Amino acid sequence: MRPVSVWQWSPWGLLLCLLCSSCLGSPSPSTGPEKKAGSQGLRFRLAGFPRKPYEGRVEIQRAGEWGTICDDDFTLQAAHVLCRELGFTEATGWTHSAKYGPGTGRIWLDNLSCSGTEQSVTECASRGWGNSDCTHDEDAGVICKDQRLPGFSDSNVIEVEHHLQVEEVRIRPAVGWGRRPLPVTEGLVEVRLPDGWSQVCDKGWSAHNSHVVCGMLGFPSEKRVNAAFYRLLAQRQQHSFGLHGVACVGTEAHLSLCSLEFYRANDTARCPGGGPAVVSCVPGPLYAASSGQKKQQQSKPQGEACVRLKGGAHPGEGRVEVLKASTWGTVCDRKWDLHAASVVCRELGFGSAREALSGARMGQGMGAIHLSEVCCSGQELSLWKCPHKNITAEDCSHSQDAGVRCNLPYTGAETRIRLSGGRSQHEGRVEVQIGGPGPLRWGLICGDDWGTLEAMVACRQLGLGYANHGLQETWYWDSGNITEVVMSGVRCTGTELSLDQCAHHGTHITCKRTETRFTAGVICSETASDLLLHSALVQETAYIEDRPLHMLYCAAEENCLASSARSANWPYGHRRLLRFSSQIHNLGRADFRPKAGRHSWVWHECHGHYHSMDIFTHYDILTPNGTKVAEGHKASFCLEDTECQEDVSKRYECANFGEQGITVGCWDLYRHDIDCQWIDITDVKPGNYILQVVINPNFEVAESDFTNNAMKCNCKYDGHRIWVHNCHIGDAFSEEANRRFERYPGQTSNQII
């Protein structure tokens, strides 16, 4: 469609422009901000669909020709510059792989590199105008903050689509509107147009159309509706039709990508002989309503899922991992698109995909990469049904791990919780809304036993990502006029979608400290760390040492020996120690920092160092039935960056009372030959056992994923030697493989240590 011009010349205007030098180069009114010199002769617009007015594919007009920008090397800094060119204050995000559809014409810029402070895109480095090796499948887009620059004139911004477009879709119940439990799964399809919400004519409506609509609204599938009932109901109601002729293939991620027609304003006969389109969607297990109208996860279907999401801040998003040969691995992002992402989302019980993420946007995985060049049509029931390439070590790296963001049903859970008193919208005292008996009211949560896991659920329900801290005292935040404690005894596993799914005391409130200063609070964050132990190194470095007691005084002072050591004949005799190295990686999207500030770190004179965390790891020897027969622990002698990936710089080191932590992309190495890097097995009898190492066991520091904090190994001890093998991260195996592991902990197909 031809762009609509935003400037109309008149004879008097042309004469005035010739007389006024300030008009030269651009027809912007003089009241607008002064144009940047570098942008003279360039015009910018947002194009593509589906989108909102402040987002879209970036297109630039140069020398009278419109073109796009390639997403190679594109960054948020470049998006900031382009959003300012478009008249917005800043960018909140950017998109790749032609999310808003491929453009046409020239690709004007490639390998665009900006610092973010440039006044014009022409000041950024690139390959030069028109020099590109990209296709339009790599067109970049921006998401700008919906806030205009003061005084900015739209004369430099032309939005290419002034025709009607479908921005939002909803299901409206035919009866009981406003009283139906959420999520709404059945009703009339309505689309939002510039003049309000309108219905869709059902003439020619197909199951493919319903599939697309349900996917947009967060549901994996659809079912047949009682057409006779809705046809009878339609005869008694008035409708406002805005759309007809909808014809979807069924693989579209948005209704606007389907073939459709809008009614014109002068169309008097709308949908003759037809009625409003109706859909009935099937919710996924997480959102299926129980008989008590409480959203709970249904019992799992037969067989374990072959795909999962890890590292996401919100439900329905994360790094894609698939199960192959009983081991979980990631997917390479080559040819990764919305069709493949939608197959993953629907397989997991969500709707179609909102975004197909590349470049390890959800953090890097560890271990195997199982799939590459996945090419789905969008109709497959499983990602494994899509044509794909088996990966080799040279093909891909974890910096190319694929991810997804799925459409989710609207449950209204975020309307039943809020934060108050904090310095920003991401922190504050937690307030929840409860009902009955009587009207709905807001109240506080007792801070007793409130911790990181409970805070994770609260932040998830609020839509604010991860929990940085779960606070039991909130006296430094203003309590406002809400003083009643309405929830106590909250205990969460960390996976719930809302606090009302966690165990709690119900209507019987029991709180040791009832003052408002002792109510629960949270500090939320969009990013979090994720620690992972290098399991292979544990297996490679494990050995037994008989260490003389006279060399263990410092270790005894720090409780690194079994309790029987207290009655030993010091300094004579020895203790038998199982030693091994620990290499702990941070694969998350935020640095791992100790919860306590350096002012509260504890100095240990014997070893001559500070402890920033009293217990950083637990080491245990377990029997096959889980009974603990030996244990050890490791305080965070010093959290620092021992080594990092090639493109990451070290930030933390212990020397000179330095800052402690583990940077994203780095790892902290505790060598096998340092004190307390062991388990005292002096009292352990010969037999088959499980060696278990758990990082951050008390959830003292928030992480994006706690399921990968434990590592297990099979081990066989004969009283003189120990065999350690089959070491793996706790969630690296399938459920069946884990059962086999625990059933046969003493296999001897291993090496002697």
Side-chain angles (χ1 to χ4, degrees):
M1 183 172 179
R2 183 177 65 84
V4 178
S5 175
V6 296
W7 185 270
Q8 298 291 336
W9 290 104
S10 66
W12 288 107
L14 182 60
L15 177 61
L16 179 61
C17 187
L18 291 172
L19 294 174
C20 178
S21 61
S22 65
C23 282
L24 295 177
S26 172
S28 299
S30 59
T31 55
E34 182 181 352
K35 289 303 296 171
K36 286 80 68 177
S39 294
Q40 293 286 351
L42 299 180
R43 291 181 126 188
F44 300 82
R45 70 186 182 192
L46 293 171
F49 62 91
R51 66 180 183 86
K52 293 182 170 58
Y54 49 84
E55 64 176 324
R57 181 178 64 248
V58 180
E59 297 192 351
I60 304 177
Q61 188 187 52
R62 185 174 187 268
E65 185 177 359
W66 286 100
T68 62
I69 300 175
C70 180
D71 61 12
D72 288 354
D73 297 334
F74 200 88
T75 63
L76 185 63
Q77 286 69 34
H80 283 314
V81 176
L82 287 163
C83 282
R84 290 197 294 269
E85 294 271 27
L86 289 158
F88 298 96
T89 55
E90 61 180 333
T92 60
W94 64 277
T95 66
H96 58 86
S97 305
K99 177 190 173 182
Y100 300 102
T104 58
R106 299 282 293 275
I107 297 178
W108 278 123
L109 293 173
D110 192 0
N111 299 112
L112 184 65
S113 178
C114 306
S115 68
T117 60
E118 293 85 354
Q119 295 298 307
S120 165
V121 72
T122 58
E123 299 174 18
C124 300
S126 70
R127 296 179 60 164
W129 289 97
N131 183 11
S132 172
D133 59 359
C134 298
T135 67
H136 282 295
D137 288 332
E138 301 170 83
D139 284 343
V142 295
I143 305 167
C144 303
K145 186 176 182 180
D146 191 15
Q147 181 177 341
R148 306 292 290 182
L149 289 170
F152 189 90
S153 170
D154 282 344
S155 62
N156 195 46
V157 185
I158 303 176
E159 293 196 6
V160 83
E161 286 144 358
H162 289 274
H163 61 283
L164 289 173
Q165 113 184 26
V166 176
E167 291 185 2
E168 290 185 54
V169 178
R170 73 181 182 188
I171 298 176
R172 182 172 65 85
V175 293
W177 176 242
R179 299 190 301 273
R180 300 290 292 271
L182 296 175
V184 176
T185 59
E186 182 173 306
L188 280 60
V189 179
E190 295 192 334
V191 296
R192 195 175 74 169
L193 301 177
D195 56 351
W197 289 94
S198 299
Q199 285 83 47
V200 181
C201 181
D202 68 351
K203 295 181 71 173
W205 188 264
S206 68
H208 291 318
N209 299 349
S210 297
H211 193 67
V212 172
V213 169
C214 289
M216 285 181 61
L217 298 174
F219 303 106
S221 58
E222 73 292 338
K223 62 182 180 181
R224 294 176 63 89
V225 298
N226 187 341
F229 167 77
Y230 283 101
R231 185 63 61 131
L232 180 64
L233 196 64
Q235 296 174 1
R236 304 179 182 181
Q237 297 177 337
Q238 288 188 339
H239 299 284
S240 172
F241 293 103
L243 200 63
H244 67 106
V246 180
C248 301
V249 176
T251 59
E252 296 88 349
H254 197 282
L255 192 66
S256 60
L257 300 174
C258 302
S259 173
L260 48 82
E261 296 181 51
F262 293 91
Y263 284 111
R264 294 186 294 271
N266 57 356
D267 286 337
T268 54
R270 300 193 176 192
C271 199
V278 179
V279 298
S280 181
C281 303
V282 179
L286 276 175
Y287 300 94
S290 68
S291 58
Q293 302 300 327
K294 182 180 179 182
K295 313 305 180 281
Q296 292 180 334
Q297 187 169 2
Q298 291 178 332
S299 59
K300 281 192 173 183
Q302 292 296 319
E304 185 180 1
C306 294
V307 64
R308 68 184 184 187
L309 301 181
K310 303 289 280 187
H314 306 279
E317 71 173 28
R319 178 179 63 254
V320 178
E321 296 189 354
V322 293
L323 190 63
K324 180 180 180 181
S326 298
T327 303
W328 289 98
T330 62
V331 178
C332 184
D333 64 8
R334 291 180 186 169
K335 298 187 178 180
W336 187 251
D337 60 12
L338 277 175
H339 287 308
S342 290
V343 171
V344 170
C345 290
R346 291 185 188 272
E347 186 176 356
L348 290 169
F350 304 111
S352 52
R354 286 192 296 120
E355 287 186 76
L357 304 172
S358 62
R361 292 269 299 279
M362 289 294 167
Q364 296 188 23
M366 197 171 184
I369 302 175
H370 286 330
L371 297 178
S372 181
E373 298 185 19
V374 180
C375 297
C376 301
S377 68
Q379 298 176 334
E380 297 86 353
L381 297 179
S382 169
L383 194 67
W384 283 106
K385 301 293 184 182
C386 301
H388 60 270
K389 177 181 176 183
N390 289 322
I391 200 76
T392 63
E394 302 78 34
D395 284 339
C396 211
S397 69
H398 282 296
S399 63
Q400 297 169 272
D401 284 343
V404 297
R405 285 196 177 103
C406 306
N407 287 315
L408 305 179
Y410 176 72
T411 63
E414 73 278 7
T415 64
R416 302 190 298 272
I417 187 172
R418 67 188 183 188
L419 300 181
S420 67
R423 297 161 298 179
S424 72
Q425 65 174 359
H426 287 83
E427 68 176 29
R429 182 180 286 105
V430 180
E431 297 179 359
V432 291
Q433 188 182 58
I434 63 168
L440 296 175
R441 68 188 193 277
W442 288 94
L444 305 173
I445 299 176
C446 177
D448 295 349
D449 300 322
W450 180 266
T452 300
L453 297 179
E454 291 70 36
M456 287 174 65
V457 177
C459 290
R460 182 180 299 124
Q461 184 177 353
L462 286 159
L464 298 177
Y466 305 109
N468 262 353
H469 298 290
L471 306 169
Q472 296 184 359
E473 294 187 23
T474 52
W475 52 268
Y476 38 81
W477 286 329
D478 179 24
S479 62
N481 57 357
I482 304 296
T483 58
E484 181 188 7
V485 174
V486 297
M487 185 179 284
S488 65
V490 180
R491 300 303 297 267
C492 304
T493 64
T495 61
E496 296 87 350
L497 297 178
S498 61
L499 287 175
D500 55 11
Q501 294 180 354
C502 301
H504 57 88
H505 288 158
T507 57
H508 180 67
I509 306 301
T510 303
C511 194
K512 298 174 184 176
R513 301 175 296 180
T514 57
E515 302 95 323
T516 56
R517 60 176 293 182
F518 297 118
T519 53
V522 295
I523 300 176
C524 304
S525 172
E526 282 294 325
T527 58
S529 60
D530 186 18
L531 297 188
L532 201 68
L533 183 66
H534 185 18
S535 56
L537 185 64
V538 174
Q539 182 168 318
E540 293 165 4
T541 58
Y543 65 95
I544 285 178
E545 178 192 10
D546 288 335
R547 194 164 182 82
L549 283 173
H550 69 83
M551 301 177 68
L552 294 173
Y553 280 104
C554 284
E557 182 182 301
E558 297 193 7
N559 296 317
C560 294
L561 301 175
S563 57
S564 62
R566 299 192 190 104
S567 58
N569 185 24
W570 292 78
Y572 308 103
H574 66 271
R575 304 298 294 182
R576 175 157 291 182
L577 309 175
L578 171 58
R579 285 184 173 274
F580 51 87
S581 295
S582 295
Q583 185 171 296
I584 299 168
H585 295 247
N586 182 2
L587 300 181
R589 290 186 285 156
D591 294 352
F592 184 90
R593 300 294 310 279
K595 183 177 181 179
R598 68 166 71 194
H599 64 280
S600 59
W601 295 352
V602 178
W603 173 257
H604 283 252
E605 184 67 35
C606 193
H607 281 128
H609 56 236
Y610 284 94
H611 286 187
S612 57
M613 294 175 64
D614 286 336
I615 297 180
F616 180 51
T617 50
H618 271 168
Y619 306 143
D620 299 309
I621 297 291
L622 310 174
T623 62
N625 65 8
T627 303
K628 189 182 299 184
V629 295
E631 64 182 47
H633 76 273
K634 182 70 173 177
S636 59
F637 283 5
C638 180
L639 292 173
E640 67 176 359
D641 298 327
T642 307
E643 295 291 341
C644 299
Q645 297 171 4
E646 288 184 8
D647 56 343
V648 180
S649 299
K650 298 179 182 179
R651 298 184 59 187
Y652 305 106
E653 61 178 348
C654 299
N656 303 317
F657 195 37
E659 288 289 346
Q660 294 193 24
I662 307 176
T663 305
V664 176
C666 299
W667 55 89
D668 188 7
L669 176 63
Y670 286 90
R671 287 174 49 88
H672 58 84
D673 54 1
I674 65 174
D675 260 6
C676 295
Q677 187 60 37
W678 63 56
I679 303 177
D680 184 350
I681 62 170
T682 306
D683 306 321
V684 175
K685 298 177 181 179
N688 298 326
Y689 298 101
I690 294 174
L691 166 63
Q692 177 177 274
V693 178
V694 183
I695 310 168
N696 192 16
N698 297 333
F699 313 119
E700 189 174 330
V701 177
E703 298 184 49
S704 61
D705 185 6
F706 287 113
T707 62
N708 57 12
N709 281 29
M711 184 223 66
K712 293 182 178 181
C713 303
N714 288 134
C715 60
K716 180 180 177 67
Y717 178 50
D718 67 358
H720 306 282
R721 299 168 297 176
I722 195 164
W723 290 262
V724 176
H725 66 103
N726 205 13
C727 294
H728 65 281
I729 299 302
D731 67 344
F733 285 0
S734 68
E735 293 177 0
E736 177 58 31
N738 270 324
R739 284 193 289 269
R740 291 198 303 268
F741 169 87
E742 292 172 358
R743 195 178 303 132
Y744 302 107
Q747 296 177 22
T748 56
S749 56
N750 46 56
Q751 64 186 78
I752 297 178
I753 307 298

